[in-house]
Structures are given as structure tokens and as C-alpha cells.
């Protein structure tokens, strides 16, 4: 493993051997930041917290690598190595699929199984996206569209989560973890979609190119309010998009390219994912 700043961008690269090391390194750094915030330490790394109340504000992400990071946090907690007081952490989700609350594809369900059901965290600190009120209010099959969705309910859900952010993260987030798709999508912000330029913090997404087609998502405005934006990426399929993201290319074509932290933007990635970056391990 090695770490460096990419010479042609403001992005810090943490080169890892494989997905397991990506999860381990990212989890360790999440732990260090959260503990520093809770202890009130301030220094060169600015670990005081975006809101100086002793609470850390963490946005988690889905996908195989994002969930692996959460599972590593659980492993570290079980081993007594994390030191996090989860009673003083507000957890948010970068996006959510508009499917029932108990649906296996919901990010919050996967995150709960990987971490949150196994640690002592107050449920009111887990800020989950709303779910549709009935099974008939969503579409989830490949090639389906969102015509049967209660659009008013979906928009109300987005507004409700925006209010949650205003209440519990009025100054932004301390860490926003981001996965990334092969076409460069982040959260549920996909290339060439109107949600990319929204002035809102939360948007409803319909006719998403990846099933299920209906979702809720934080926007660039919300994620760029984070002190730290950390990508967690593995696999050669992500290499082209990651290259564009690090270079800060057209964010309409590569949404990940528009994601930057206020003070730190980092990529935790394995060698295949980094293969289109110039000399990422030197």
C-alpha cells in the first residue's frame, strides 16, 4: 500500500492491494477522524468536526466496497480497536432505492446487517431515507420505469430528508464515503441527468438507468459540503471512470469528477481500479 497526492489534481490516492485492504484502510481512517472529533482534538488534519458539538457526521454508501468498509468497522469494533462512541455519531445515507423498508436491495438494510445491528447506536442517530408507503408505489425490475410511482410521495420523501440534513447536519458532513459505478455515477447521480445540476441537497430520481429505476439521492451540493469526500473503489471496471474523477473532468459526463471535499478528497482503491492513473503507487 502507498499514499500520495496525484500530481495533476487535488486528490489524495491511497493505493491498496485488493478490496479487503481498501475496506481496512478506509475504515481505520474513518475511525481516526471520528474519535478525534469526539475527543475534541484539533490540528493540521482539522479533525475538530464540521459542527463543534462533539458529534461526528458520517455519510455511508452502498455497493460491495462500501458495505465492506462498514463490515470492517464492525470487525474493528468487536476487536476493541475502533474506540468510537456511536452514541455521538450521526449517520446518513448517500442514496436509497425507492423500495419497501425491508427490501434486501435497500442500502440501509445492507448497512444494518453489516454494521449497525451489531453495535450500540441509537436508532434516532441512523438517519434513513423514507420508504414508499405501499408495495404498489415503486418499480424495481430491469427495464421498468417509474410511471406507477406516487410522485408526490417521492418528492415529499426527498423534502423530508433534506429537512433531516438541515436539522442534524446544518454545517455539512465530516466524512462522505462514496462508491462509484463504471460509468462514473455516485450516489444515484448518473451521467447526463438533470439531478446533477440541482440546487437542492436531496433529489428524487426516476427512470434511473440502473434498476431499480426510482431512488432518492444526495446531490453534488450536499456531498460537496463535506469536509472529507472519500471514494472507496475496487475493480478494473471502475478504472476509466476513476481516471476521469481524479482529473476533475466533465462532471455531466462523469459525475464522480464533480465530487470534492472541502478540505480532503481521497481515493482508496485497488491496483485494477487505479490502472488508468499515472503511476498511482509511486
Amino acid at each position: 500500500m502507498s499514499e500520495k497526492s496525484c500530481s495533476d489534481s487535488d486528490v489524495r490516492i491511497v493505493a491498496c492491494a485488493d478490496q479487503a485492504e481498501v475496506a481496512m484502510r478506509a475504515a481505520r481512517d474513518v475511525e481516526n477522524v471520528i474519535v478525534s472529533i469526539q475527543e475534541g482534538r484539533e490540528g493540521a488534519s482539522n479533525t475538530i468536526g464540521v459542527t463543534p458539538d462533539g458529534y461526528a457526521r458520517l455519510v455511508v454508501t452502498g455497493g460491495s466496497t462500501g458495505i465492506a468498509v462498514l463490515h470492517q468497522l464492525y470487525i474493528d469494533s468487536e476487536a476493541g480497536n475502533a474506540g468510537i462512541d456511536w452514541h455521538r455519531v450521526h449517520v446518513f445515507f448517500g442514496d436509497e432505492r425507492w423500495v419497501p423498508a425491508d427490501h434486501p436491495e435497500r442500502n440501509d438494510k445492507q448497512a444494518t446487517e453489516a454494521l449497525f445491528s451489531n453495535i450500540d447506536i441509537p436508532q434516532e442517530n441512523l438517519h434513513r431515507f423514507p420508504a414508499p408507503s405501499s408495495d404498489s408505489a415503486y418499480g424495481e425490475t430491469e427495464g421498468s420505469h417509474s410511471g406507477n410511482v406516487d410522485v408526490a410521495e417521492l418528492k415529499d420523501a426527498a423534502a423530508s430528508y433534506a429537512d433531516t440534513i438541515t436539522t442534524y447536519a446544518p454545517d455539512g458532513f465530516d466524512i462522505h464515503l462514496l462508491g462509484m459505478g463504471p460509468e462514473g455515477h455516485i450516489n444515484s447521480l448518473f451521467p447526463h441527468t438533470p439531478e446533477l445540476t440541482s440546487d437542492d441537497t436531496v433529489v428524487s430520481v426516476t427512470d434511473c438507468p440502473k434498476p431499480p429505476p426510482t431512488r432518492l439521492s444526495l446531490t453534488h451540493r450536499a456531498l460537496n459540503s463535506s469536509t472529507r469526500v472519500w471514494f472507496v473503489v475496487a475493480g478494473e471496471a471502475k478504472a476509466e471512470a476513476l481516471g476521469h474523477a481524479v482529473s476533475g473532468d466533465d462532471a455531466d459526463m462523469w459525475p464522480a469528477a464533480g465530487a470534492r471535499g472541502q478540505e480532503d478528497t481521497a481515493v482508496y482503491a485497488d491496483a485494477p481500479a487505479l490502472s488508468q492513473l499515472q503511476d498511482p503507487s509511486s
Side-chain angles (χ1 to χ4, degrees):
M1 184 283 303
S2 63
E3 182 171 337
K4 72 162 194 167
S5 294
C6 195
S7 59
D8 60 351
S9 77
D10 55 355
V11 179
R12 180 170 55 88
I13 306 296
V14 182
C16 303
D18 51 26
Q19 185 188 67
E21 188 179 356
V22 170
M24 181 185 67
R25 288 300 310 278
R28 188 180 74 181
D29 288 350
V30 167
E31 292 156 5
N32 287 340
V33 168
I34 291 177
V35 171
S36 296
I37 289 169
Q38 293 177 343
E39 293 180 352
R41 298 202 303 264
E42 184 174 13
S45 60
N46 190 27
T47 52
I48 190 67
V50 65
T51 301
D53 58 1
Y55 280 75
R57 287 157 173 86
L58 170 68
V59 183
V60 299
T61 187
S64 61
T65 307
I67 296 302
V69 174
L70 299 184
H71 184 62
Q72 185 64 49
L73 287 170
Y74 162 64
I75 292 172
D76 291 350
S77 177
E78 281 289 282
N81 296 330
I84 294 173
D85 176 3
W86 287 101
H87 285 252
R88 292 191 291 144
V89 180
H90 286 293
V91 176
F92 305 84
F93 292 83
D95 71 329
E96 191 56 87
R97 296 163 172 89
W98 187 244
V99 293
D102 61 349
H103 196 285
E105 287 195 11
R106 277 187 68 95
N107 287 333
D108 63 10
K109 181 175 177 61
Q110 296 175 28
T112 295
E113 292 171 351
L115 174 63
F116 298 121
S117 65
N118 301 308
I119 59 173
D120 183 19
I121 182 170
Q123 288 302 299
E124 59 268 25
N125 288 19
L126 282 173
H127 303 293
R128 307 172 190 270
F129 278 98
S133 58
S134 69
D135 289 0
S136 62
Y138 70 98
E140 64 168 326
T141 59
E142 187 170 1
S144 69
H145 297 283
S146 301
N148 64 325
V149 169
D150 185 332
V151 175
E153 182 185 25
L154 181 67
K155 290 186 178 297
D156 285 347
S160 174
Y161 205 73
D163 287 343
T164 295
I165 291 173
T166 299
T167 300
Y168 295 101
D171 305 306
F173 309 107
D174 294 295
I175 304 171
H176 193 312
L177 297 174
L178 277 178
M180 187 191 67
E183 76 294 79
H185 89 261
I186 50 174
N187 293 336
S188 283
L189 303 176
F190 285 80
H192 308 299
T193 57
E195 293 81 22
L196 291 171
T197 56
S198 175
D199 290 329
D200 295 325
T201 55
V202 184
V203 289
S204 56
V205 181
T206 58
D207 294 336
C208 176
K210 179 180 179 182
T214 312
R215 304 174 180 215
L216 296 163
S217 179
L218 300 193
T219 62
H220 273 124
R221 177 188 170 192
L223 72 90
N224 289 343
S225 73
S226 308
T227 302
R228 303 160 189 83
V229 170
W230 292 351
F231 290 87
V232 289
V233 183
E236 187 176 5
K238 312 293 181 69
E240 181 182 10
L242 190 59
H244 289 288
V246 170
S247 297
D249 292 337
D250 182 2
D252 185 60
M253 182 176 294
W254 305 97
R260 292 293 186 270
Q262 292 287 314
E263 297 183 14
D264 183 40
T265 306
V267 169
Y268 297 77
D270 64 3
L274 293 170
S275 60
Q276 294 195 27
L277 272 66
Q278 184 176 4
D279 197 17
S281 63
S282 63

